[in-house]
Each structure stands twice: as structure tokens, then as C-alpha cells.
């Protein structure tokens, strides 16, 4: 299948545990692929056929789906407010301000949907 692209998303350990907790409190777990995959605690492995694309801010929705920050058209606000940099893939470069960004998106004064927001690393996986 030459036109298939696979992306891997990776969470810091503390973020992964938080996502697992959020999902366990809301959903039927045997039906939740994200929860099941995070429960395996598979460590990230550097592979020759993977390339870092950037970092995404995703919201964990009811029903255990998740959506990128792009769905909310908030990228420019986050760039200016938190000095983030968008790369050629439309994702953010790494930042030392992820905790601050997450606190804002999950706070009471945020203008995004009141569901959990987390940061994840996105990699292109060679097929």
C-alpha cells in the first residue's frame, strides 16, 4: 500500500498515566484502544524508519476519541502567547513550556472545550 502513512503518538510517562486515569474514569475500557495501548506501557524506541514530525496538543473527548489543536484554530494564539514555533508540518517544535500550555488549556479561563488537553510527540513511521 504505497499511499499509506502511519503516525505514532507518544506521551511522557506522567501524561500517559493521566490519560489512562481520565479514560478509566469515563469509559468502558475493553472498547478503548487508546487506553489499552497506554496500558501496555510500551517504551518509545528510536527506529531508523521513524522521523519526528513535531508536538501536538490534543483533547481527549468523551467516547475516547481525540482531536488536535488544529481543529480549534488556536495555533496562532498559542504561538504568540507561549512563544511556540510551528514547523513545516503544522505541529509545534519542542518547548520547555508544555506544562504551562497544558495548565492554560485545562484551566477555567481557557476558551477551548472543557475536556482534558495533553501534549504528545508525533512521529512518521516508515512502512
Amino acid at each position: 500500500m504505497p499511499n499509506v502513512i502511519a503516525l505514532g503518538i507518544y506521551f511522557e510517562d506522567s501524561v500517559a498515566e493521566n490519560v489512562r486515569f481520565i479514560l478509566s474514569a469515563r469509559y468502558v475500557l475493553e472498547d478503548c484502544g487508546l487506553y489499552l495501548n497506554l496500558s501496555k506501557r510500551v517504551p518509545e524506541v528510536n527506529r531508523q524508519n521513524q522521523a519526528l514530525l513535531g508536538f501536538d496538543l490534543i483533547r481527549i473527548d468523551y467516547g475516547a476519541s481525540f482531536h488536535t489543536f488544529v481543529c480549534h484554530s488556536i495555533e496562532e494564539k498559542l504561538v504568540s502567547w507561549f512563544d511556540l514555533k510551528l514547523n513545516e508540518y503544522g505541529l509545534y517544535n519542542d518547548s520547555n513550556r508544555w506544562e504551562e500550555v497544558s495548565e492554560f488549556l485545562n484551566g477555567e479561563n481557557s476558551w477551548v472545550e472543557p475536556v482534558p488537553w495533553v501534549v504528545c510527540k508525533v512521529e512518521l513511521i516508515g512502512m
Side-chain angles (χ1 to χ4, degrees), residues 72-124:
H72 292 274
S73 301
I74 61 174
E75 55 271 12
E76 293 304 324
K77 287 181 183 178
L78 294 175
V79 164
S80 65
W81 291 358
F82 296 101
D83 194 32
L84 300 176
K85 305 282 188 252
L86 286 169
N87 63 28
E88 66 269 27
Y89 304 110
L91 298 171
Y92 294 110
N93 292 324
D94 202 1
S95 173
N96 60 355
R97 298 187 70 184
W98 291 133
E99 187 173 329
E100 185 180 354
V101 173
S102 294
E103 285 177 11
F104 170 75
L105 291 174
N106 290 300
E108 291 181 16
N109 295 324
S110 178
W111 27 255
V112 294
E113 294 179 37
V115 295
W117 286 82
V118 297
V119 64
C120 66
K121 182 192 300 187
V122 180
E123 292 190 349
L124 175 66

Side-chain angles (χ1 to χ4, degrees), residues 60-71:
I60 308 296
D61 286 336
Y62 297 100
S65 64
F66 53 92
H67 294 272
T68 176
F69 68 92
V70 177
C71 295

Side-chain angles (χ1 to χ4, degrees), residues 22-53:
I22 291 164
L23 294 172
S24 68
R26 295 185 178 168
Y27 309 109
V28 178
L29 300 180
E30 60 268 11
D31 295 334
C32 181
L34 181 57
Y35 177 86
L36 294 174
N37 282 321
L38 289 174
S39 295
K40 293 177 186 177
R41 292 185 169 92
V42 177
E44 181 180 357
V45 177
N46 292 328
R47 295 183 178 97
Q48 289 181 329
N49 65 341
Q50 285 188 208
L52 176 64
L53 297 181

